[in-house]
């Protein structure tokens, strides 16, 4: 399998706060990598460094054999290869569903309106939202908004999709439809990096699970290894907390 993204010795400080301390991650073509860990452990910061919403303090982000942090690298182009889905949807509320899914294609990828529309419709169909093309985000449920956000990201034909807790802001009854949509994407062979607290889902879809703790990767392995036989005390403590919540 080819490596799509390789993170080497990544560090990120916010002032004196060392949020990522020497993080190393490789994501291969077609792999589904899930990141779990307590609040504040650095999961979002890692995703935001991968797509350069945050500038890493040091380290390398190697995309298809080239370090994108080197001077002169075409960063806007790099960003188009990564799709991002956030907890809070981040749709354009003044645009309808179709325009949300075509605007990036037209402005960034320079696609014609017709082509962008065809691509958007294909992806909206994939997430079961093709009947809502004229709706504004405000008219949709949280689950529907998140499915549109996924279709919008897919419409840019990314090499990798990054998801940051895509179901955490949803009412419980909407979580299933979004996880189902993501599971369908997994089945298409898309390369995905997913931050989630949905442990059953993580167990079901992940090729590899990364457990982050205080800015480092404390442990990683297959779902079987991590859930079945966690090696580190911190992993055990986290899993026991999240799998057996007390009141
Ligand atoms: N823009 C920022 N400026 C300053 N500190 C930040 C910033 N973003 C994150 N941090 C700090 O970095 C640490 C890691 O935050 P991060 O959001 O990456 O954690 P997380 O694992 O995603 O947590 P959660 O599960 O709550 O989303 C926290 O201490 C947070 O306060
Ligand atoms: Mg986070």
């Amino acid at each position: 399998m080819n490596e799509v993204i390789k993170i080497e010795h990544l560090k990120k400080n916010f002032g004196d706060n060392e949020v990522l301390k020497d993080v190393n991650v490789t994501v291969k073509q077609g792999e589904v990598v899930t990141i779990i860990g307590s609040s504040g452990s650095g999961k979002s910061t890692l995703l935001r460094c991968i797509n350069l919403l945050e500038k890493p303090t040091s380290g390398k982000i190697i995309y298809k054999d080239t370090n994108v942090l080197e001077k002169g690298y075409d960063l806007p182009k790099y960003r188009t290869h990564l799709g991002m889905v956030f907890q809070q949807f981040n749709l354009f509320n003044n645009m309808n569903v179709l325009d949300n899914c075509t605007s990036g294609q037209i402005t960034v990828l320079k696609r014609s309106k017709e082509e962008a529309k065809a691509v958007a419709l294909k992806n909206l169909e994939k997430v079961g939202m093709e009947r809502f093309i004229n709706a504004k985000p405000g008219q949709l449920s949280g689950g529907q908004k998140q499915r549109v956000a996924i279709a919008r990201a897919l419409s840019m034909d990314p090499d990798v999709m990054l998801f940051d807790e895509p179901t955490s802001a949803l009412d419980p009854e909407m979580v299933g439809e979004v996880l189902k949509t993501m599971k369908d994407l997994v089945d298409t062979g898309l390369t995905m990096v997913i931050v989630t607290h949905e442990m059953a889902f993580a167990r079901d879809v992940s090729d590899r699970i990364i457990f982050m703790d205080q800015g480092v990767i404390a442990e990683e392995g297959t779902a079987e290894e991590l859930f079945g036989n966690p090696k580190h005390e911190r992993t055990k403590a986290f899993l026991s907390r999240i799998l057996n919540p007390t009141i």
Side-chain angles (χ1 to χ4, degrees), residues 40 43-45 87 164-165 195:
K43 306 178 300 295
S44 296
T45 305
Q87 192 174 343
D164 192 357
E165 298 198 35
V195 173

Side-chain angles (χ1 to χ4, degrees), residues 12 31 35 50 76 106 114 124 158 177 184 196 207 224 243:
K12 176 66 186 173
E31 230 184 354
I35 303 172
I50 293 177
I106 295 166
E114 294 68 36
L124 284 166
E177 69 191 64
D184 290 344
T196 186
D207 294 304
E224 252 169 46
L243 297 173

Side-chain angles (χ1 to χ4, degrees), residues 31-247:
E31 230 184 354
V32 177
V33 177
T34 305
I35 303 172
I36 61 174
S38 310
S39 183
S41 57
K43 306 178 300 295
S44 296
T45 305
L46 175 57
L47 282 196
R48 293 171 62 82
C49 281
I50 293 177
N51 67 10
L52 301 180
L53 286 173
E54 297 288 355
K55 190 174 184 295
T57 304
S58 62
K60 290 182 183 173
I61 298 176
I62 299 166
Y63 170 73
K64 296 189 173 170
D65 297 330
T66 310
N67 180 12
V68 307
L69 300 175
E70 267 167 24
K71 259 204 174 126
Y73 196 87
D74 186 350
L75 293 180
K77 181 105 191 279
Y78 165 69
R79 282 205 189 89
T80 67
H81 298 303
L82 306 177
M84 179 90 179
V85 176
F86 302 87
Q87 192 174 343
Q88 294 297 347
F89 325 122
N90 292 31
L91 293 174
F92 302 117
N93 287 321
N94 57 336
M95 288 185 193
N96 69 24
V97 164
L98 183 63
D99 292 342
N100 261 284
C101 294
T102 57
S103 67
Q105 297 186 64
I106 295 166
T107 56
V108 180
L109 302 182
K110 311 292 178 206
R111 286 182 180 152
S112 69
K113 269 190 181 167
E114 294 68 36
E115 188 188 2
K117 184 173 176 186
V119 172
L121 287 175
K122 181 188 76 184
N123 287 305
L124 284 166
E125 208 167 303
K126 233 184 232 176
V127 303
M129 287 300 292
E130 72 281 8
R131 288 184 297 114
F132 294 85
I133 51 174
N134 295 315
K136 291 271 178 69
Q139 298 169 297
L140 303 176
S141 72
Q144 290 173 330
K145 277 191 250 195
Q146 198 56 301
R147 286 188 282 142
V148 172
I150 292 171
R152 180 179 63 175
L154 289 174
S155 295
M156 302 295 282
D157 292 329
D159 287 333
V160 183
M161 284 279 282
L162 309 174
F163 294 85
D164 192 357
E165 298 198 35
T167 60
S168 296
L170 300 177
D171 290 336
E173 67 269 28
M174 317 257 162
V175 170
E177 69 191 64
V178 172
L179 294 181
K180 163 81 173 62
T181 303
M182 292 171 65
K183 174 78 168 58
D184 290 344
L185 294 182
V186 170
D187 293 341
T188 68
L190 190 67
T191 310
M192 295 161 75
V193 181
I194 308 167
V195 173
T196 186
H197 288 292
E198 296 289 336
M199 293 300 135
F201 174 75
R203 191 174 202 142
D204 187 26
V205 304
S206 308
D207 294 304
R208 198 147 43 86
I209 300 182
I210 289 174
F211 169 61
M212 285 194 68
D213 186 65
Q214 298 176 28
V216 298
I217 294 178
E219 184 164 353
E220 69 178 292
T222 62
E224 252 169 46
E225 287 165 349
L226 219 90
F227 289 113
N229 187 20
K231 293 200 173 47
H232 291 276
E233 286 309 317
R234 289 169 175 183
T235 323
K236 287 180 195 167
F238 172 77
L239 288 175
S240 112
R241 247 193 342 269
I242 198 156
L243 297 173
N244 312 297
T246 45
I247 301 153

Side-chain angles (χ1 to χ4, degrees), residues 18-31:
E18 265 199 308
V19 173
L20 297 177
K21 309 164 188 163
D22 197 18
V23 171
N24 296 279
V25 184
T26 301
V27 182
K28 293 179 182 164
Q29 183 82 45
E31 230 184 354

